[in-house]
Amino acid sequence: MATVPLEHVANEGEWKLPSRGVVAMASLITAESSIFTIFVVAYLYYLGRDVTGPTPKEVLEIPYFGTVCLLSSSGFIMLAERAIEHGKMAAFRLWWSVTILLGGIFLVDTGLEWQKLIVHDHLTIHTNLFGTCFYSLVGLHASHVIIGMLMMLITLVFALTGHVRVERSYRVEVLALYWHFVDAVWVVVFTVVYVVGR
């Protein structure tokens, strides 16, 4: 039986433990995915079981603009990650700010949608099963966007005051993982609520 020389094994690279931040964020994402799964299944289960209106087809409009803003923010946060890895702090602050701005536009778009649904269409969380499931699912996602934006705003303040450094860029990567998760969840919510549900 042939043996592999030790120097050959050493050259293949050493296995490193993932950072505690990555493990913690992966655990959080796993737990949050379970919660979102429950809400999505509930939405699909109760879809079309209302005895009173309004129905999704009557009141929902597809939020193209907000969706494009939120999904494109993942690209800008990746640019911010790359910038801080290469020590380009000005570029990091720029791309990080653009990501926050796009998240903010998404939230404003969601707020305008809710205003129309509540004021014009008289759809509240108490109106019917659709209203309850819609506001619960979309509101759960919006709350995650708000949490992500608050964390990014705090990071931006630290970056503007010189407290974010290249050697701690892994912390930015951990936060970016959360933001990618929020964007990925929106793809599911968008598909279920505005494509399948209509």
Side-chain angles (χ1 to χ4, degrees):
M1 186 161 111
T3 59
V4 179
L6 289 176
E7 61 272 6
H8 179 69
V9 173
N11 289 337
E12 287 189 16
E14 296 178 19
W15 185 79
K16 294 192 303 187
L17 286 171
S19 74
R20 287 182 293 184
V22 170
V23 172
M25 187 55 71
S27 300
L28 176 68
I29 288 172
T30 302
E32 293 293 315
S33 297
S34 302
I35 294 168
F36 273 106
T37 300
I38 292 166
F39 277 77
V40 167
V41 169
Y43 187 90
L44 290 171
Y45 179 78
Y46 289 113
L47 190 62
R49 294 179 183 244
D50 286 309
V51 291
T52 60
T55 64
K57 191 172 185 179
E58 293 171 341
V59 296
L60 287 186
E61 296 173 10
I62 299 176
Y64 292 113
F65 182 66
T67 298
V68 168
C69 287
L70 185 65
L71 297 183
S72 64
S73 71
S74 266
F76 286 102
I77 205 169
M78 286 172 67
L79 290 173
E81 284 181 87
R82 222 174 267 147
I84 195 171
E85 284 171 9
H86 292 93
K88 299 175 180 176
M89 295 308 294
F92 165 74
R93 290 189 292 269
L94 172 65
W95 299 131
W96 199 257
S97 299
V98 171
T99 304
I100 295 169
L101 176 65
L102 290 170
I105 292 171
F106 173 80
L107 285 177
V108 168
D109 193 55
T110 300
L112 292 172
E113 176 190 35
W114 285 26
Q115 181 188 28
K116 175 205 169 277
L117 290 173
I118 294 167
V119 175
H120 181 264
D121 300 318
H122 308 291
L123 179 72
T124 68
I125 199 165
H126 302 293
T127 304
N128 55 18
L129 285 170
F130 162 58
T132 302
C133 293
F134 172 81
Y135 287 111
S136 297
L137 179 56
V138 176
L140 179 66
H141 178 265
S143 68
H144 282 71
V145 174
I146 291 167
I147 290 167
M149 285 185 59
L150 287 173
M151 291 189 294
M152 288 193 294
L153 279 168
I154 292 167
T155 304
L156 181 61
V157 169
F158 282 129
L160 291 170
T161 57
H163 290 91
V164 176
R165 296 189 175 85
V166 179
E167 56 270 16
R168 294 199 177 147
S169 64
Y170 65 91
R171 293 179 178 174
V172 169
E173 293 168 12
V174 170
L175 183 50
L177 279 176
Y178 178 85
W179 193 252
H180 291 309
F181 164 71
V182 167
D183 283 6
V185 166
W186 180 248
V187 173
V188 176
V189 172
F190 179 86
T191 304
V192 167
V193 174
Y194 297 98
V195 179
V196 175
R198 285 182 78 231

